[in-house]
Amino acid sequence: MTINILQYKAIGLPAVCPDFAVGDHALRFGYRPDHPQEMVEAFDRALNAGRSPVASKDWSDVAARLVEASLG
């Protein structure tokens, strides 16, 4: 099963990814692909970062937004 970094963000898990994908996300830890030591350091930082779950909307919130969007 493939889980992408957006899903990691949604459930509050740290992600290790190439520098270009880090952006301004506090739980993404970047490395340059041609620098193996940076990858090791990124994994160390991610393992020590803990979790920070993002508050999610419930289905009534989602439905309300869809109705609002359809009404313009």
Side-chain angles (χ1 to χ4, degrees):
M1 175 166 85
T2 302
I3 297 179
N4 66 41
I5 57 178
L6 292 176
Q7 291 169 315
Y8 272 70
K9 179 183 176 187
I11 60 175
L13 287 176
V16 174
C17 53
D19 282 338
F20 71 84
V22 173
D24 62 351
H25 302 282
L27 287 178
R28 290 187 192 167
F29 300 92
Y31 63 89
R32 289 177 291 174
D34 56 342
H35 292 82
Q37 185 56 37
E38 287 183 14
M39 186 181 291
V40 171
E41 292 165 1
F43 271 99
D44 284 341
R45 290 191 311 272
L47 287 170
N48 291 310
R51 290 185 69 167
S52 182
V54 175
S56 61
K57 299 187 181 308
D58 65 24
W59 284 111
S60 62
D61 293 329
V62 173
R65 287 187 65 198
L66 289 172
V67 169
E68 288 173 16
S70 69
L71 296 176

